Amino acid sequence: MAEIRYEHVSKSFDANTVVDDLDLRIADGELMVLVGPSGCGKTTALRMMAGLEEVSSGRIVIDDEVVNDLEPRDRDIAMVFQNYALYPHLSVYQNMAFGLRLHHVGKDEIDRRVREAAHVLQLEELLQRKPKQLSGGQRQRVAMGRAIVRQPKVFLMDEPLSNLDAKLRVQMRAQIARLQRDLEATMLYVTHDQVEAMTLGRRVAVMRLGALQQVAPPQELYGRPVNLFVASFIGSPAMNVVEAELHREPDGLRARFGPHDVRIDPGLAASRPALERYAGRRVVLGVRPQSVEDAALVDTGDTDSTIDGTVELRENLGPEVDVHVGINAPVPALEAVIEATESADATGEAGVAGRPEGIFVARLGAGTEAREGRPVRLWLDPRALHFFDPDSGAAIYE
């Protein structure tokens, strides 16, 4: 396997820059996920690594070798595509062996590699079938098997699960994670699905408009996003965001939005010293649905962290309930929020921009009595609030 690097790589088509100064290192044996909305440049970045797109500026490095001018076949990479790209007239065995034959690998070695990969991917009973006789999940496993037998330095995966149904996607995610771990493979995986990104990647690189926004382990992206775009894009349902004004009271900082006024936990404020400079100023307040509970179910006596609203929609999820609550609070009209969430994600849940103004989504315990058309009091965890600059969208921390 090998370390791979993008060193200040850009790609332009005429006057349109689709990847802008991408600087990213994927360690030997690491599974890195590139994620972002459609059109953010992630697939173009992958294709440049594969040699399928030329680099406008910067360097692509594989195993300490600059490969900008190398043909795809000379880069020792294997790519798994969204549409499988199997030869319909060849059997599973022949599809998996095809690349090895092109490289004049011996017949016995081809047979060994194909059968080993078939065993790992549970394809042994399907080796003589044609692609048309396979399900979508089986075809995707064949495409992965064809990549595995090559024993390349790097695996590149371009939305490999997007054509599968929800249940198969979950199964294949687990299989890809196990394969990557067992093979100790260097893998760059592209997806628009943030749930897929968070469950697969050791680290996740979030892109927007061709530019890298943040590279971090999944939990850091979720808990400490660097800006409003990352905060809104990562997490399902999407983070609630409202315009608020910070003000100082004897008990510490508080955030006022619409008719609501909630306290900020002193420990949280201390961990974000830059918040002090925003006292008396506007901020964007972010609250994840998972950080909200029905106040009737919370035995804290904390009335300074509650807001009131009316339930507009109740969605039963079994162990939890999602409620959409009208809270009569202003929503920031920031481009970063709109782009992050303007379309439904792969789970079918509408993002922030898909919600009517003033709607606040809360993921509550199944014991909630919240019902459509009725008032509800929500408790916001004062230790789990997020704050962003209303002009730049940057997170407020230090």
Side-chain angles (χ1 to χ4, degrees):
M1 295 302 142
E3 175 186 277
I4 58 179
R5 300 194 302 274
Y6 293 89
E7 296 182 349
H8 302 287
V9 171
S10 295
K11 174 63 179 179
S12 299
F13 295 99
D14 298 324
N16 183 28
T17 299
V18 294
V19 175
D20 186 14
D21 195 32
L22 178 60
D23 201 59
L24 181 65
R25 170 184 171 272
I26 298 95
D28 185 8
E30 180 179 17
L31 197 169
M32 170 74 77
V33 179
L34 269 180
V35 67
S38 297
C40 72
K42 57 189 183 295
T43 292
T44 300
L46 191 81
R47 289 174 62 83
M48 286 191 289
M49 180 63 68
L52 302 177
E53 294 284 357
E54 292 185 0
V55 174
S56 298
S57 63
R59 305 197 311 170
I60 299 279
V61 180
I62 300 177
D63 205 14
D64 290 328
E65 179 184 7
V66 178
V67 299
N68 289 38
D69 298 324
L70 287 184
E71 293 294 322
R73 63 176 178 272
D74 298 324
R75 297 192 181 196
D76 199 9
I77 56 95
M79 192 162 179
V80 179
F81 296 91
Q82 177 180 345
N83 62 357
Y84 319 136
L86 301 179
Y87 295 104
H89 62 289
L90 299 181
S91 68
V92 168
Y93 185 102
Q94 291 167 330
N95 265 284
M96 291 172 65
F98 187 81
L100 298 179
R101 286 175 176 153
L102 286 182
H103 286 81
H104 308 295
V105 177
K107 184 177 179 180
D108 290 344
E109 179 64 11
I110 289 175
D111 188 68
R112 183 187 68 80
R113 291 193 197 180
V114 168
R115 295 191 182 280
E116 282 185 358
H119 175 71
V120 169
L121 294 167
Q122 300 176 4
L123 293 170
E124 292 165 298
E125 304 301 319
L126 306 177
L127 288 175
Q128 301 311 314
R129 294 190 187 180
K130 298 290 179 61
K132 67 180 180 181
Q133 298 172 290
L134 305 177
S135 68
Q138 289 168 338
R139 292 178 192 179
Q140 192 56 272
R141 279 186 280 153
V142 175
M144 291 170 57
R146 183 178 53 192
I148 290 170
V149 299
R150 291 268 312 280
Q151 298 179 355
K153 289 181 178 178
V154 178
F155 289 89
L156 305 178
M157 296 200 171
D158 185 16
E159 306 257 16
L161 308 183
S162 60
N163 288 338
L164 305 181
D165 63 37
K167 183 177 179 180
L168 267 178
R169 280 203 303 270
V170 173
Q171 293 173 351
M172 289 300 297
R173 280 206 308 261
Q175 192 157 42
I176 289 172
R178 282 196 301 270
L179 276 172
Q180 190 275 336
R181 182 192 63 222
D182 294 345
L183 296 172
E184 297 181 337
T186 304
M187 186 178 294
L188 182 58
Y189 188 106
V190 160
T191 180
H192 68 279
D193 182 346
Q194 53 95 8
V195 175
E196 198 169 288
M198 296 285 278
T199 53
L200 268 177
R202 297 182 190 175
R203 289 190 301 154
V204 178
V206 183
M207 292 186 69
R208 175 192 178 223
L209 298 176
L212 196 60
Q213 302 294 300
Q214 185 173 3
V215 184
Q219 199 57 40
E220 184 175 336
L221 290 178
Y222 184 85
R224 198 175 173 86
V226 297
N227 58 34
L228 189 54
F229 174 82
V230 175
S232 300
F233 188 79
I234 297 296
S236 180
M239 179 183 283
N240 299 290
V241 290
V242 295
E243 275 195 4
E245 182 180 305
L246 292 190
H247 61 102
R248 174 163 289 288
E249 298 293 339
D251 61 347
L253 283 175
R254 300 179 69 91
R256 182 184 296 123
F257 50 102
H260 315 288
D261 197 327
V262 299
R263 74 180 183 92
I264 299 169
D265 180 76
L268 179 72
S271 70
R272 291 161 170 75
L275 275 178
E276 288 289 344
R277 299 197 299 271
Y278 285 81
R281 297 168 55 189
R282 290 183 310 114
V283 296
V284 175
L285 170 65
V287 186
R288 294 205 179 276
Q290 294 83 354
S291 299
V292 184
E293 187 51 276
D294 185 334
L297 302 179
V298 179
D299 187 22
T300 65
D302 179 10
T303 58
D304 284 337
S305 300
T306 60
I307 63 174
D308 293 305
T310 302
V311 178
E312 303 286 343
L313 177 67
R314 174 185 168 116
E315 298 175 308
N316 293 306
L317 304 175
E320 298 167 316
V321 177
D322 281 357
V323 293
H324 297 233
V325 179
I327 63 167
N328 190 28
V331 176
L334 290 179
E335 179 188 354
V337 182
I338 294 171
E339 185 187 337
T341 58
E342 63 186 354
S343 59
D345 65 22
T347 67
E349 297 182 75
V352 171
R355 298 174 190 161
E357 186 168 348
I359 291 295
F360 198 91
V361 176
R363 179 157 285 180
L364 309 180
T368 180
E369 294 297 322
R371 294 292 185 273
E372 292 177 7
R374 295 184 184 178
V376 65
R377 177 162 290 175
L378 301 175
W379 177 78
L380 314 185
D381 186 342
R383 302 160 299 178
L385 305 178
H386 297 261
F387 301 90
F388 306 91
D389 184 277
D391 297 318
S392 68
I396 301 172
Y397 292 120
E398 308 305 331

